[in-house]
């Protein structure tokens, strides 16, 4: 039986709660890792010739920031991070944001996301996200807000797995 867009069963609402709980768990782990890293560790390559930990942190911050308009939760807070952490490879931008600025951006973006998550009803999670047209959504209803949350949670988990391997 297809899910109704207007109401969800207890089971379906429980799955949404689990998805948001997993997001909180993964971003909480990332918080601990980045906040607990020394300046020296932040600028250490994860492996020879690979990204530095600070680059992963900025990359995740920029990706999370892009979720705000994608989920219809408001405008981006830090679009300036794209040129540093999304379009340019690591070590090609001369000056990175300070650790304090990155800490503030990470915290602000993730707080805005959590507030936005709380504002959405379960049915709204199954609505289309901003990057899919109504016509495409009619053919592919799985391209919804919940899919974005699941995808970005996995993305963060992937990079968190890389980050824990960084030399200490």
């Amino acid at each position: 039986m297809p899910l109704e867009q207007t109401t969800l069963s207890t089971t379906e609402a429980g799955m949404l709660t689990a998805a948001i709980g997993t997001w909180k768990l993964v971003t909480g782990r990332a918080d601990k890792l980045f906040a607990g890293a020394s300046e020296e560790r932040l600028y250490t390559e994860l492996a020879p010739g690979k990204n530095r930990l600070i680059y992963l942190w900025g990359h995740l911050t920029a990706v999370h920031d892009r979720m705000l308009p994608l989920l219809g939760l408001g405008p981006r807070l830090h679009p300036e991070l794209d040129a540093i952490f999304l379009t340019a490879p690591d070590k090609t931008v001369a000056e990175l944001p300070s650790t304090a600025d990155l800490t503030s951006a990470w915290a602000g973006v993730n707080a805005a996301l959590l507030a936005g998550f709380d504002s959405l009803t379960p049915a709204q999670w199954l609505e289309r996200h901003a990057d899919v047209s109504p016509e495409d959504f009619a053919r592919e209803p799985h391209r919804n807000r919940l899919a974005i949350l699941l995808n970005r949670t996995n993305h963060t988990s992937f990079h968190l797995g890389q980050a824990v391997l960084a030399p200490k």
Side-chain angles (χ1 to χ4, degrees):
M1 179 167 91
L3 296 178
E4 287 292 323
Q5 294 279 336
T6 55
T7 60
L8 295 178
S9 72
T10 303
T11 302
E12 292 152 346
M15 287 190 275
L16 177 58
T17 300
I20 294 171
T22 302
W23 168 268
K24 290 177 181 179
L25 177 73
V26 170
T27 56
R29 287 178 179 163
D31 285 340
K32 284 183 183 179
L33 183 127
F34 295 128
S38 67
E39 195 79 13
E40 180 182 352
R41 184 168 186 225
L42 286 172
Y43 283 87
T44 301
E45 292 178 339
L46 300 176
K50 299 298 180 183
N51 292 335
R52 296 170 295 173
L53 191 57
I54 195 161
Y55 186 85
L56 282 186
W57 191 14
H59 171 77
L60 288 171
T61 303
V63 168
H64 291 189
D65 190 42
R66 284 182 164 196
M67 288 174 66
L68 291 165
L70 187 60
L71 297 176
L73 303 176
R76 295 192 59 193
L77 303 177
H78 298 282
E80 72 280 2
L81 296 178
D82 286 9
I84 304 166
F85 297 111
L86 293 179
T87 58
D90 191 14
K91 298 173 240 156
T92 60
V93 174
E95 191 171 326
L96 297 178
S98 70
T99 302
D101 288 344
L102 204 47
T103 299
S104 176
W106 171 260
V109 165
N110 288 313
L113 283 170
L114 284 176
F117 294 171
D118 287 343
S119 74
L120 295 175
T121 67
Q124 288 174 315
W125 279 101
L126 299 177
E127 293 174 358
R128 71 182 178 91
H129 61 74
D131 280 354
V132 64
S133 70
E135 298 78 25
D136 287 342
F137 186 66
R139 286 189 304 278
E140 302 173 284
H142 62 278
R143 296 177 66 188
N144 56 44
R145 290 173 169 147
L146 180 58
I148 295 298
L149 175 65
L150 296 173
N151 177 279
R152 298 315 186 268
T153 301
N154 287 335
H155 177 250
T156 303
S157 291
F158 173 79
H159 286 309
L160 189 55
Q162 291 178 312
V164 298
L165 297 175
K168 293 183 182 185

